[in-house]
Amino acid sequence: MRKKTVLAAALVAAAALSLSACGSSDDSAKKPIADVSVEAKTKAATVLDQPFTKPALVLTDTHGKKYDLRERTKGKPTLIYFGYTNCPDVCPLIMSNIAIARKSLPKADQDKLQVVFVTTDPERDTPSSLGTWLKSQDPSFIGLTGDFPTIQAGARQIGIGIDAPKKEKDGTVSSMHGSQAVAFSPKTDKGYLVYSEDTSPDDYTKDLPKIIKGETP
């Protein structure tokens, strides 16, 4: 019998996600935004009993062109992550881990996988700067920017909370955001797997072949 962990529902149907201040080690900077029924089935991923619907986001890509997320990724295995390029630790680590795992795939599978990075700091992450940053991670990664309210609403559709960037006393700007990557099935276009910031390149390497097929790792 598959074991289920049931938590009190709040805000949206999501796994228990939290806001993380990139560069902050203060546990008080993390707070749960959603609790729901989830099912632990893999070592790396949280498998959702009720998968997410892909966000209805129409933003701007790194070439300055309109990008309809649902339309452009329909029927394709897709990983979506919300973060920002000035993040000193979590965001580049997660994208690097995914990039390492993607490179281990056969060329045909690499071409199928869509990795979408949506900025939580659109004022500073222009299409140009976002494109430059993502090229250093993996040139195939898709970068999206736009107005903050639209991005925030899209993130909440998949249970990820983000706050507007905040200027700290030392002059730095931090962006509070959930640090989870959500995998969407090419068969259903539903987000059924959630990966935390602790997911390693090896974890992604093991799971990506099945994600590409629309299977549960």
Side-chain angles (χ1 to χ4, degrees):
M1 181 179 294
R2 295 181 295 184
K3 183 179 179 181
K4 296 183 179 180
T5 302
V6 180
L7 305 174
L11 293 185
V12 292
L17 307 183
S18 62
L19 293 177
S20 298
C22 287
S24 172
S25 61
D26 182 1
D27 288 339
S28 66
K30 299 183 179 181
K31 54 183 179 181
I33 67 159
D35 298 324
V36 291
S37 174
V38 300
E39 182 174 344
K41 288 184 63 177
T42 78
K43 177 182 178 182
T46 295
V47 183
L48 303 181
D49 284 342
Q50 297 181 342
F52 294 119
T53 297
K54 191 173 291 180
L57 277 173
V58 179
L59 297 170
T60 302
D61 67 16
T62 55
H63 302 290
K65 297 182 179 180
K66 184 178 76 171
Y67 189 98
D68 186 321
L69 180 65
R70 284 185 178 176
E71 179 183 315
R72 297 287 291 275
T73 62
K74 185 177 180 180
K76 300 177 181 180
T78 305
L79 287 176
I80 298 178
Y81 179 77
F82 288 81
Y84 68 119
T85 65
N86 286 282
C87 173
D89 41 36
V90 177
C91 299
L93 175 63
I94 290 174
M95 299 310 289
S96 175
N97 288 347
I98 295 173
I100 291 170
R102 179 183 173 275
K103 288 181 175 66
S104 72
L105 296 169
K107 181 63 166 60
D109 283 349
Q110 289 186 37
D111 292 341
K112 292 176 184 176
L113 182 65
Q114 308 293 295
V115 180
V116 181
F117 181 95
V118 185
T119 182
T120 60
D121 185 12
E123 184 173 337
R124 290 188 296 170
D125 285 343
T126 64
S128 177
S129 64
L130 184 56
T132 299
W133 187 81
L134 285 173
K135 282 181 181 178
S136 68
Q137 299 288 341
D138 187 312
S140 76
F141 287 177
I142 299 160
L144 300 179
T145 187
D147 65 277
F148 183 80
T150 297
I151 292 171
Q152 184 180 51
R156 288 195 173 277
Q157 288 177 39
I158 56 173
I160 295 176
I162 62 175
D163 289 342
K166 177 183 177 183
K167 191 170 184 178
E168 305 294 346
K169 293 180 180 179
D170 62 3
T172 61
V173 178
S174 64
S175 176
M176 297 282 286
H177 62 88
S179 56
Q180 294 77 17
V182 182
F184 289 79
S185 168
K187 293 181 178 179
T188 64
D189 280 321
K190 298 288 188 178
Y192 65 118
L193 299 171
V194 178
Y195 290 89
S196 74
E197 63 189 74
D198 298 322
T199 306
S200 71
D202 286 343
D203 292 329
Y204 281 118
T205 298
K206 291 175 183 177
D207 287 5
L208 284 181
K210 290 191 175 182
I211 289 172
I212 289 169
K213 295 177 182 178
E215 299 174 354
T216 300

